[in-house]
Amino acid sequence: MKRSIAYYITILVIKVKGLKKTFSKNPVDYKKLRTDDVPISKNSYFRKNSYMRTFTELQTTISEVKPKDESNKLLIFIHGGAFVSGPSQHHWDAVEKISKQTPYTIWLCDYPKAPEHKISEISANIDHIYSKALEKFNPDSITIIGDSVGGTLAIALTQRLIQKNSMLPYRLILISPVMDATLSNPEIDEIDRLDPMLSKKGVLSAKQMCAENNNLNDVSISPINGNFEQFPKTLLFLAEYDITYPDQRLLEKKLEESNVAYDTIVGEGMPHIWPLLPIMKEAKSAFKIIVNVLNQ
C-alpha cells in the first residue's frame, strides 16, 4: 500500500524522539516517558469553546469536556501509556476532535500509574469511574474508548461487569489494545524488528511494574485470558508494525467465537496507536471512522 509523505515524517519523528530506544531497556525509564505527560490541556479550545471541569474519583482525575448543547451521551476515554505514563498531547488532541465533531460529553481519565500503583488499584479506579458514569448516564448511551493499555483496562472492565451481571456500555472502541502482558507470542519477536515505537523488553518491564505479585497472566492485565461472551459492539484498530498486533489477532478470533458484533480496521504498515498520531493522512482517515461511529 502506498503511504503518505506525512507517514514517513511521523515515523522519522518517532525515531528521532527515541521511543524505541526507551522501550528497549529493562527496567523501562518510566520517568522519562512521563516527561511527555499532559495532565491538563492548555489548549484554548477547552477554555473558549467547551465547558471543561476536573473532578476526582478515588485516585483518578477526570477531565470532563461537555458540548455546548446538553448531552445525554458519554464517552469514557481511558488513555494508554504502558500503565506508567499519560495522558499525552495526542490524547488531548483526540478529545478536542471528538468534542468538536460529536454530541458526547467526554471523560478523560487520568488514573493512578505503576510502579507506584498495581493493577488491582488501577482496576478499582476504572470500576469506580464506570459506576459513577451509570449514576448520570444510561448504559446504552455510554461508549468506552481506550488506546494501548487503555484498551486493556476497557476490556478487563467489561469482563468484570459481565461476571457481576452488571449493565454494559453500548460500545467499545479499542485502538491497539494490549491483550497479553506476558508478550510470549512467538510472532512478537519478528515484528519487534519492524516496530518503530515499541520493543518487547521495555513493554514487558512496564507490565511487570504493574502486575500484582508478578502475575502477568491475571486477566486484569492480560484480558486475552478472560471470557468474551456477551461483549458489546466493538470497533478494533490494529497496526501491522506493532508488537501487540499478534495478540490482537487472537482477540479477533475470541470475539468471533463468542458471536460478538465487531469491526476491524487494520493499518497496513502502521505503528502502535496510529489513529491518534498527528499529521498522518492515514491517521486522519482512521479517526474519521471513529467520529462517524460515534455519530451513528
Side-chain angles (χ1 to χ4, degrees):
M1 181 188 74
K2 186 177 180 180
R3 294 165 198 151
S4 68
I5 294 175
Y7 164 85
Y8 293 102
I9 294 173
T10 301
I11 297 301
L12 178 61
V13 170
I14 291 171
K15 290 181 178 179
V16 169
K17 287 187 69 174
L19 278 173
K20 181 80 173 183
K21 184 177 180 180
T22 301
F23 276 110
S24 296
K25 295 179 180 179
N26 183 8
V28 69
D29 189 348
Y30 65 89
K31 292 182 179 179
K32 182 178 180 180
L33 291 173
R34 287 179 185 175
T35 60
D36 287 331
D37 284 6
V38 183
I40 299 295
S41 176
K42 296 179 181 179
N43 189 329
S44 61
Y45 167 78
F46 297 108
R47 297 194 304 271
K48 295 179 180 179
N49 302 307
S50 68
Y51 174 58
M52 188 176 90
R53 70 179 180 112
T54 60
F55 60 98
T56 302
E57 293 293 344
L58 294 184
Q59 295 154 294
T60 297
T61 298
I62 298 175
S63 296
E64 180 184 67
V65 179
K66 284 188 174 183
K68 288 183 179 180
D69 298 326
E70 189 65 28
S71 172
N72 64 350
K73 294 185 177 183
L74 175 67
L75 180 69
I76 300 176
F77 199 135
I78 309 176
H79 70 79
F83 289 123
V84 299
S85 65
S88 299
Q89 185 58 47
H90 58 266
H91 296 116
W92 284 103
D93 291 343
V95 169
E96 180 181 346
K97 292 174 190 174
I98 293 168
S99 178
K100 286 178 176 177
Q101 299 178 64
T102 78
Y104 278 77
T105 293
I106 306 164
W107 286 5
L108 179 59
C109 306
D110 186 359
Y111 50 85
K113 308 299 189 301
E116 297 89 346
H117 306 274
K118 298 298 184 181
I119 189 60
S120 60
E121 197 171 357
I122 297 171
S123 298
N125 274 258
I126 300 300
D127 290 358
H128 182 74
I129 292 164
Y130 186 73
S131 69
K132 286 295 178 180
L134 289 178
E135 293 177 5
K136 299 181 178 181
F137 295 87
N138 187 300
D140 288 340
S141 299
I142 298 175
T143 293
I144 301 178
I145 185 170
D147 68 294
S148 194
V149 297
T152 307
L153 294 171
I155 294 169
L157 164 67
T158 304
Q159 290 171 333
R160 290 191 296 273
L161 291 173
I162 292 170
Q163 280 185 331
K164 298 174 183 177
N165 199 30
S166 299
M167 294 179 287
L168 302 179
Y170 176 71
R171 188 190 306 272
L172 302 180
I173 300 175
L174 307 172
I175 303 171
S176 300
V178 183
M179 298 306 303
D180 186 352
T182 69
L183 298 177
S184 56
N185 192 319
E187 296 179 21
I188 289 175
D189 292 329
E190 181 178 348
I191 296 180
D192 203 337
R193 294 192 290 269
L194 302 171
D195 190 326
M197 186 184 298
L198 303 180
S199 190
K200 178 178 175 179
K201 185 182 292 186
V203 174
L204 182 59
S205 166
K207 300 296 177 284
Q208 290 168 335
M209 290 178 182
C210 188
E212 211 84 43
N213 300 316
N214 204 34
N215 181 10
L216 294 174
N217 290 305
D218 180 357
V219 292
S220 294
I221 198 169
S222 292
I224 197 67
N225 297 324
N227 184 23
F228 293 88
E229 298 286 342
Q230 302 176 44
F231 254 56
K233 295 178 180 180
T234 300
L235 176 61
L236 295 172
F237 287 89
L238 315 185
E240 285 186 338
Y241 287 4
D242 175 3
I243 61 171
T244 64
Y245 177 67
D247 291 330
Q248 292 155 11
R249 283 301 196 189
L250 297 179
L251 167 62
E252 277 190 292
K253 291 180 181 178
K254 294 226 172 188
L255 293 175
E256 187 171 349
E257 291 168 356
S258 302
N259 295 315
V260 176
Y262 77 95
D263 291 300
T264 302
I265 311 296
V266 178
E268 296 181 19
M270 292 295 121
H272 191 63
I273 66 165
W274 58 284
L276 301 184
L277 299 181
I279 301 174
M280 283 199 313
K281 177 181 177 182
E282 295 85 352
K284 292 177 181 178
S285 296
F287 204 86
K288 187 176 181 180
I289 295 172
I290 294 173
V291 169
N292 288 342
V293 165
L294 290 174
N295 282 325
Q296 285 176 1

